[in-house]
Amino acid sequence: MTASRGERTYRRPQVDPLAALRTPDDPPWDVYLTGTVFLDIVFTGLDSAPVRGTESWARGMGSSPGGVANMATALARLGLRTSLAAAFGDDHYGEYCWDALEQGEGIDLTPSRTVPGWHSPVTVSMAYEGERTMVSHGHEPPPEETAPDCPPPARAAVASLTPGVRAPWIAQAAAKDARIFADVGWDDTGRWDLAGLADLEHCEAFLPNAAEAMRYTGADCPRAAARALTEHVPLAVVTLGAQGAYAVDARTGETAEVPAIAVEAMDPTGAGDVFVAGFVAGTLAEWPLADRLAFAGLTAALSVQEFGGSLSAPGWAEIAAWWRRVQSLEGQDPAALRRYAFLEDQVPEEAVRPWPLRRAVPTIGFRRSA
């Protein structure tokens, strides 16, 4: 038995990247996704990896919704109408994550449920030397708490593929004309068999990192891997870490490569999710391929400068502030500025009203003083 919480809410975004494309016949949601929501507790400012038998002190700590919440929040903060199906524990952690996503971000949780007696999954992440180490704990929710058999109509859906496992909702969403964007995790089986990613046949775009792309294709470089992937999916995007990203569109023959933006990373948690969200937003807005890559890289670069996965995602105020700031700095490479000139048509001429974005905090549950 399950219990639902709250009523549908939707926060109007500061900038709607799809405003010029919307019609009365559009589906109610821009993006649908499903998965597990974790409570993330992130330690930052560690000088090195923890050493067995010693105690390490972190200079920073933040708590925020994690797991699939990283992607959902990033999409919502970019102005996409986002619907999420997930199970939530009926403990304090679950209440916090539900409220942060529904009330704080305006994400539709109508397909989501609170599961009585089920405790929220938790991940502790330790960030150091530009990397992270994670320890997670959780239990599988009851079977009825998995993704609905009939996902709501949406322009697109974001899926995380699992080797050897089909997710029926992906085919159902594709049958309703949703454009499927997929990523994939590390294949613990070691097979790295593209045939095992059966749902790839329903996908428009596949966005693995360089190591994953090369292992799945057997290619000796990420760019060759991206080209090989287009034999299985129309659009392949391979992230190259500090080198940026490379994409191939088999439908048009177009390729694009954009370098990464150099930043001092505080916490890389969720950066990959933010990258995918930025690429989805640009694709649905019908931007050129290179602009989509640049925007995805920019949003990811802005996210790693904040604590936590979901609540580090930038909104349009942060994007606008970055664009205005880099134009005012002396010594900027004109070619680099031209790469992001497309933002001029996306960011309003007037200053974007600062949206009071929630950020990860050390402790949840403090009551506000009167």
Side-chain angles (χ1 to χ4, degrees):
M1 183 175 181
T2 62
S4 60
R5 299 182 62 240
E7 297 179 355
R8 177 180 298 181
T9 62
Y10 177 65
R11 167 178 284 174
R12 186 178 298 278
Q14 297 170 293
V15 175
D16 182 357
L18 309 186
L21 303 174
R22 296 197 185 280
T23 72
D25 297 326
D26 286 342
W29 306 110
D30 295 326
V31 187
Y32 167 80
L33 64 166
T34 184
T36 302
V37 173
F38 288 75
L39 174 74
D40 278 1
I41 301 173
V42 181
F43 293 101
T44 65
L46 290 164
D47 294 323
S48 62
V51 178
R52 184 175 60 180
T54 68
E55 181 179 15
S56 299
W57 280 83
R59 290 187 290 275
M61 174 184 167
S63 301
S64 65
V68 72
N70 296 343
M71 182 77 71
T73 301
L75 291 163
R77 289 185 173 187
L78 293 178
L80 299 182
R81 300 170 183 176
T82 303
S83 183
L84 170 65
F88 289 79
D90 65 348
D91 50 14
H92 185 61
Y93 290 168
E95 292 177 358
Y96 162 75
C97 289
W98 185 293
D99 291 342
L101 297 176
E102 183 184 57
Q103 303 299 326
E105 307 300 334
I107 295 168
D108 170 52
L109 296 183
T110 302
S112 294
R113 296 292 182 269
T114 295
V115 183
W118 183 62
H119 73 75
S120 299
V122 176
T123 292
V124 175
S125 177
M126 292 162 281
Y128 53 87
E129 299 174 355
E131 296 294 339
R132 57 180 177 158
T133 297
M134 297 184 292
V135 178
S136 298
H137 174 73
H139 299 282
E140 288 291 327
E144 64 269 22
E145 298 306 323
T146 56
D149 289 336
C150 297
R155 293 174 186 263
V158 179
S160 184
L161 305 184
T162 302
V165 178
R166 277 191 181 272
W169 74 266
I170 296 177
Q172 294 161 4
K176 296 180 179 181
D177 297 323
R179 304 164 68 178
I180 311 297
F181 297 77
D183 62 10
V184 67
W186 193 258
D187 187 354
D188 292 329
T189 69
R191 297 188 182 95
W192 298 100
D193 181 9
L194 275 172
L197 300 181
D199 285 322
L200 200 59
E201 66 180 350
H202 303 297
C203 298
E204 173 177 334
F206 185 42
L207 300 95
N209 63 35
E212 294 160 350
M214 289 189 291
R215 284 180 178 266
Y216 272 116
T217 61
D220 58 2
C221 78
R223 293 159 189 81
R227 293 190 292 272
L229 286 171
T230 58
E231 297 178 8
H232 305 271
V233 66
L235 178 58
V237 180
V238 176
T239 54
L240 310 174
Q243 294 181 318
Y246 178 80
V248 182
D249 191 331
R251 297 164 298 190
T252 64
E254 184 181 7
T255 64
E257 184 168 357
V258 174
I261 298 173
V263 296
E264 184 175 348
M266 176 184 292
D267 175 19
T269 305
D273 294 322
V274 175
F275 180 95
V276 173
F279 189 82
V280 170
T283 301
L284 296 184
E286 300 182 355
W287 297 351
L289 184 57
D291 291 352
R292 287 180 261 164
L293 281 187
F295 185 70
L298 168 61
T299 55
L302 293 176
S303 76
V304 301
Q305 299 176 73
E306 298 284 347
F307 281 110
S310 63
L311 303 187
S312 68
W316 282 99
E318 288 75 22
I319 295 167
W322 177 86
W323 176 233
R324 303 305 180 207
R325 184 170 67 252
V326 296
Q327 292 181 87
S328 66
L329 295 176
E330 295 183 1
Q332 289 285 359
D333 180 1
L337 287 177
R338 285 195 298 271
R339 173 59 274 156
Y340 294 91
F342 69 93
L343 289 174
E344 202 64 42
D345 296 329
Q346 308 302 325
V347 177
E349 293 183 5
E350 69 274 11
V352 179
R353 177 182 59 82
W355 183 359
L357 296 178
R358 291 191 180 189
R359 296 299 186 190
V361 294
T363 301
I364 61 176
F366 276 144
R367 296 186 181 276
R368 295 182 182 274
S369 57

mmCIF file of all heavy atoms in Angstrom, residues 312-328:
data_model
loop_
_atom_site.group_PDB
_atom_site.id
_atom_site.type_symbol
_atom_site.label_atom_id
_atom_site.label_comp_id
_atom_site.label_asym_id
_atom_site.label_seq_id
_atom_site.Cartn_x
_atom_site.Cartn_y
_atom_site.Cartn_z
ATOM 1 N N SER A 312 23.484 21.910 -6.768
ATOM 2 C CA SER A 312 24.574 22.676 -7.378
ATOM 3 C C SER A 312 24.239 23.091 -8.801
ATOM 4 O O SER A 312 24.952 23.899 -9.407
ATOM 5 C CB SER A 312 25.860 21.842 -7.402
ATOM 6 O OG SER A 312 25.731 20.745 -8.301
ATOM 7 N N ALA A 313 23.162 22.553 -9.366
ATOM 8 C CA ALA A 313 22.807 22.853 -10.755
ATOM 9 C C ALA A 313 22.511 24.337 -10.919
ATOM 10 O O ALA A 313 21.839 24.942 -10.081
ATOM 11 C CB ALA A 313 21.590 22.027 -11.166
ATOM 12 N N PRO A 314 22.999 24.952 -11.991
ATOM 13 C CA PRO A 314 22.763 26.387 -12.183
ATOM 14 C C PRO A 314 21.385 26.668 -12.764
ATOM 15 O O PRO A 314 20.792 25.835 -13.452
ATOM 16 C CB PRO A 314 23.855 26.778 -13.193
ATOM 17 C CG PRO A 314 24.036 25.538 -14.012
ATOM 18 C CD PRO A 314 23.863 24.385 -13.038
ATOM 19 N N GLY A 315 20.872 27.862 -12.466
ATOM 20 C CA GLY A 315 19.686 28.377 -13.119
ATOM 21 C C GLY A 315 20.100 29.442 -14.115
ATOM 22 O O GLY A 315 21.290 29.724 -14.304
ATOM 23 N N TRP A 316 19.120 30.091 -14.742
ATOM 24 C CA TRP A 316 19.435 31.095 -15.761
ATOM 25 C C TRP A 316 20.096 32.331 -15.187
ATOM 26 O O TRP A 316 20.854 33.020 -15.881
ATOM 27 C CB TRP A 316 18.181 31.448 -16.547
ATOM 28 C CG TRP A 316 17.871 30.404 -17.557
ATOM 29 C CD1 TRP A 316 16.957 29.390 -17.458
ATOM 30 C CD2 TRP A 316 18.517 30.234 -18.826
ATOM 31 N NE1 TRP A 316 16.989 28.603 -18.593
ATOM 32 C CE2 TRP A 316 17.928 29.096 -19.439
ATOM 33 C CE3 TRP A 316 19.515 30.925 -19.500
ATOM 34 C CZ2 TRP A 316 18.322 28.649 -20.704
ATOM 35 C CZ3 TRP A 316 19.903 30.474 -20.756
ATOM 36 C CH2 TRP A 316 19.314 29.352 -21.342
ATOM 37 N N ALA A 317 19.849 32.643 -13.903
ATOM 38 C CA ALA A 317 20.527 33.789 -13.295
ATOM 39 C C ALA A 317 22.028 33.559 -13.248
ATOM 40 O O ALA A 317 22.829 34.453 -13.541
ATOM 41 C CB ALA A 317 19.984 34.054 -11.885
ATOM 42 N N GLU A 318 22.445 32.330 -12.899
ATOM 43 C CA GLU A 318 23.870 32.010 -12.849
ATOM 44 C C GLU A 318 24.490 31.997 -14.248
ATOM 45 O O GLU A 318 25.623 32.433 -14.454
ATOM 46 C CB GLU A 318 24.079 30.649 -12.183
ATOM 47 C CG GLU A 318 23.836 30.635 -10.684
ATOM 48 C CD GLU A 318 22.360 30.674 -10.335
ATOM 49 O OE1 GLU A 318 21.530 30.300 -11.189
ATOM 50 O OE2 GLU A 318 22.034 31.093 -9.228
ATOM 51 N N ILE A 319 23.735 31.485 -15.219
ATOM 52 C CA ILE A 319 24.225 31.460 -16.596
ATOM 53 C C ILE A 319 24.390 32.877 -17.125
ATOM 54 O O ILE A 319 25.402 33.220 -17.749
ATOM 55 C CB ILE A 319 23.266 30.649 -17.484
ATOM 56 C CG1 ILE A 319 23.271 29.184 -17.047
ATOM 57 C CG2 ILE A 319 23.632 30.778 -18.956
ATOM 58 C CD1 ILE A 319 22.144 28.360 -17.632
ATOM 59 N N ALA A 320 23.388 33.732 -16.859
ATOM 60 C CA ALA A 320 23.463 35.127 -17.312
ATOM 61 C C ALA A 320 24.627 35.856 -16.643
ATOM 62 O O ALA A 320 25.348 36.622 -17.298
ATOM 63 C CB ALA A 320 22.148 35.837 -17.009
ATOM 64 N N ALA A 321 24.803 35.616 -15.348
ATOM 65 C CA ALA A 321 25.891 36.286 -14.631
ATOM 66 C C ALA A 321 27.241 35.878 -15.197
ATOM 67 O O ALA A 321 28.149 36.712 -15.353
ATOM 68 C CB ALA A 321 25.809 35.965 -13.142
ATOM 69 N N TRP A 322 27.397 34.585 -15.502
ATOM 70 C CA TRP A 322 28.665 34.124 -16.092
ATOM 71 C C TRP A 322 28.909 34.797 -17.433
ATOM 72 O O TRP A 322 30.015 35.268 -17.698
ATOM 73 C CB TRP A 322 28.629 32.611 -16.273
ATOM 74 C CG TRP A 322 29.861 32.072 -16.938
ATOM 75 C CD1 TRP A 322 31.037 31.721 -16.332
ATOM 76 C CD2 TRP A 322 30.057 31.847 -18.350
ATOM 77 N NE1 TRP A 322 31.948 31.296 -17.269
ATOM 78 C CE2 TRP A 322 31.376 31.361 -18.509
ATOM 79 C CE3 TRP A 322 29.255 32.010 -19.476
ATOM 80 C CZ2 TRP A 322 31.893 31.029 -19.772
ATOM 81 C CZ3 TRP A 322 29.769 31.688 -20.732
ATOM 82 C CH2 TRP A 322 31.070 31.207 -20.867
ATOM 83 N N TRP A 323 27.903 34.859 -18.272
ATOM 84 C CA TRP A 323 28.070 35.432 -19.615
ATOM 85 C C TRP A 323 28.439 36.912 -19.544
ATOM 86 O O TRP A 323 29.304 37.397 -20.259
ATOM 87 C CB TRP A 323 26.811 35.206 -20.425
ATOM 88 C CG TRP A 323 26.810 35.823 -21.797
ATOM 89 C CD1 TRP A 323 25.875 36.658 -22.321
ATOM 90 C CD2 TRP A 323 27.791 35.638 -22.830
ATOM 91 N NE1 TRP A 323 26.206 37.006 -23.614
ATOM 92 C CE2 TRP A 323 27.380 36.392 -23.945
ATOM 93 C CE3 TRP A 323 28.978 34.922 -22.902
ATOM 94 C CZ2 TRP A 323 28.112 36.450 -25.126
ATOM 95 C CZ3 TRP A 323 29.723 34.975 -24.088
ATOM 96 C CH2 TRP A 323 29.282 35.724 -25.173
ATOM 97 N N ARG A 324 27.779 37.651 -18.666
ATOM 98 C CA ARG A 324 28.108 39.079 -18.528
ATOM 99 C C ARG A 324 29.522 39.250 -17.974
ATOM 100 O O ARG A 324 30.265 40.149 -18.395
ATOM 101 C CB ARG A 324 27.104 39.772 -17.596
ATOM 102 C CG ARG A 324 25.649 39.657 -17.998
ATOM 103 C CD ARG A 324 25.380 40.147 -19.404
ATOM 104 N NE ARG A 324 23.971 40.019 -19.763
ATOM 105 C CZ ARG A 324 23.523 39.869 -20.989
ATOM 106 N NH1 ARG A 324 24.372 39.809 -22.009
ATOM 107 N NH2 ARG A 324 22.233 39.749 -21.228
ATOM 108 N N ARG A 325 29.886 38.394 -17.032
ATOM 109 C CA ARG A 325 31.189 38.542 -16.396
ATOM 110 C C ARG A 325 32.333 38.241 -17.361
ATOM 111 O O ARG A 325 33.314 38.994 -17.424
ATOM 112 C CB ARG A 325 31.281 37.625 -15.170
ATOM 113 C CG ARG A 325 32.585 37.784 -14.381
ATOM 114 C CD ARG A 325 32.528 37.047 -13.070
ATOM 115 N NE ARG A 325 32.480 35.609 -13.244
ATOM 116 C CZ ARG A 325 31.400 34.848 -13.030
ATOM 117 N NH1 ARG A 325 30.271 35.412 -12.622
ATOM 118 N NH2 ARG A 325 31.436 33.547 -13.217
ATOM 119 N N VAL A 326 32.235 37.164 -18.126
ATOM 120 C CA VAL A 326 33.353 36.805 -19.005
ATOM 121 C C VAL A 326 33.540 37.834 -20.110
ATOM 122 O O VAL A 326 34.655 38.057 -20.594
ATOM 123 C CB VAL A 326 33.171 35.401 -19.622
ATOM 124 C CG1 VAL A 326 33.191 34.346 -18.547
ATOM 125 C CG2 VAL A 326 31.914 35.313 -20.466
ATOM 126 N N GLN A 327 32.460 38.501 -20.501
ATOM 127 C CA GLN A 327 32.595 39.536 -21.535
ATOM 128 C C GLN A 327 33.307 40.770 -21.012
ATOM 129 O O GLN A 327 33.913 41.515 -21.784
ATOM 130 C CB GLN A 327 31.218 39.937 -22.062
ATOM 131 C CG GLN A 327 30.521 38.849 -22.846
ATOM 132 C CD GLN A 327 29.171 39.318 -23.362
ATOM 133 O OE1 GLN A 327 29.061 39.913 -24.429
ATOM 134 N NE2 GLN A 327 28.134 39.081 -22.574
ATOM 135 N N SER A 328 33.237 40.981 -19.696
ATOM 136 C CA SER A 328 33.833 42.183 -19.112
ATOM 137 C C SER A 328 35.290 41.987 -18.711
ATOM 138 O O SER A 328 35.982 42.965 -18.401
ATOM 139 C CB SER A 328 33.021 42.619 -17.888
ATOM 140 O OG SER A 328 33.121 41.654 -16.849
#
